[in-house]
């Protein structure tokens, strides 16, 4: 297929849930950076979705003809949905609220809240976040968050203006802001 799934955790890997979540998020940020540095046309748009779960099945699944060591569970399905939502939101990565909460104490990761996302198979929407290395220039992110607040308050014109500001302030532009401007212009 066109997808690679990686995971961290289980009884074969040292560390607790916070450590596993941290290593996954750092890997997402760093792999996106390295792939951009390659400047290879085959890897123009990598997308990463991630979700942390309290309960997963980890092990070898399948038959004697085809056996895979993998993970199964609700958070695996959520991670796949988040990965596919990256295209719609124009983000490099998306993580769930639980992953964000596990990394609350980590100062080297900055989080952009993108709002709620309706996920097929879920009764309630999921709050989604994009992760960034906090050492970068992220002043534009505060303006983006103001735009999210205005959008959620139904202040469309103010939200569009704030997203335009965030897009201008972010070096190279902000595709997520542009996507939200387009979405709000259609509503």
């Amino acid at each position: 297929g066109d997808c690679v799934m990686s995971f961290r955790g289980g009884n074969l890997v040292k560390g607790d849930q916070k450590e596993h979540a941290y290593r996954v998020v750092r890997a997402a940020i760093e792999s996106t950076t390295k792939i951009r540095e390659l400047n290879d046309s085959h890897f123009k748009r990598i997308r990463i979705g991630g979700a942390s779960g309290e309960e997963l099945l980890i092990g070898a699944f399948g038959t004697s003809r085809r056996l895979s060591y993998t993970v199964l569970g609700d958070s695996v399905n959520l991670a796949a949905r988040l990965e596919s939502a990256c295209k719609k939101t124009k983000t490099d990565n998306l993580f769930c609220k639980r992953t964000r909460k596990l990394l609350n104490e980590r100062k080297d990761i900055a989080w952009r809240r993108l709002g709620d996302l309706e996920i097929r198979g879920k009764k309630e929407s999921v709050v989604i976040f994009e992760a960034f290395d906090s050492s970068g220039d992220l002043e534009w992110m505060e303006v983006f968050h103001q735009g999210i607040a205005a959008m959620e308050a139904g202040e469309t014109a103010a939200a569009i203006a704030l997203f335009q500001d965030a897009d201008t302030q972010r070096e190279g532009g902000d595709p997520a802001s542009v996507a939200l401007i387009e979405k709000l212009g259609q509503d």
Side-chain angles (χ1 to χ4, degrees), residues 36 89-93 110-114 129-148 159 161-178 180:
R36 277 207 185 98
T89 58
K90 305 289 188 220
T91 55
D92 290 327
N93 63 67
W111 296 93
R112 171 179 24 188
R113 189 176 78 80
L114 286 134
F129 298 88
E130 185 177 16
F132 294 87
D133 186 311
S134 64
S135 67
D137 177 21
L138 300 175
E139 290 181 26
W140 58 270
M141 200 181 303
E142 178 56 35
V143 176
F144 180 88
H145 284 138
Q146 291 171 10
I148 290 290
L162 288 162
F163 292 137
Q164 288 170 334
D165 267 359
D167 180 47
T168 302
Q169 288 181 26
R170 184 175 183 190
E171 185 178 333
D174 182 39
S177 290
V178 173
L180 286 168

Side-chain angles (χ1 to χ4, degrees), residues 46-142:
I46 185 171
R47 298 183 313 261
I48 300 168
S52 297
E54 290 185 29
E55 295 183 16
L56 289 172
L57 294 174
I58 300 175
F61 299 95
T63 67
S64 59
R65 290 179 184 243
R66 183 175 173 159
L67 195 62
S68 296
Y69 185 79
T70 191
V71 291
L72 300 174
D74 186 55
S75 60
V76 177
N77 295 331
L78 176 57
R81 302 285 187 263
L82 293 175
E83 182 273 328
S84 65
C86 287
K87 186 174 183 179
K88 178 179 155 187
T89 58
K90 305 289 188 220
T91 55
D92 290 327
N93 63 67
L94 287 176
F95 291 94
C96 69
K97 185 178 180 179
R98 178 170 168 69
T99 302
R100 164 72 176 91
K101 187 176 179 179
L102 284 168
L103 301 182
N104 242 0
E105 299 166 9
R106 298 288 186 156
K107 302 300 180 206
D108 62 324
I109 297 176
W111 296 93
R112 171 179 24 188
R113 189 176 78 80
L114 286 134
D116 294 349
L117 181 68
E118 298 294 323
I119 302 284
R120 187 171 39 109
K122 294 265 184 208
K123 292 179 183 175
E124 296 179 19
S125 60
V126 174
V127 180
I128 56 173
F129 298 88
E130 185 177 16
F132 294 87
D133 186 311
S134 64
S135 67
D137 177 21
L138 300 175
E139 290 181 26
W140 58 270
M141 200 181 303
E142 178 56 35

Side-chain angles (χ1 to χ4, degrees), residues 33-53:
T33 301
K34 293 297 181 191
I35 286 174
R36 277 207 185 98
E37 289 172 4
L38 283 175
N39 198 25
D40 185 320
S41 62
H42 296 288
F43 297 103
K44 281 281 187 206
R45 189 77 182 124
I46 185 171
R47 298 183 313 261
I48 300 168
S52 297

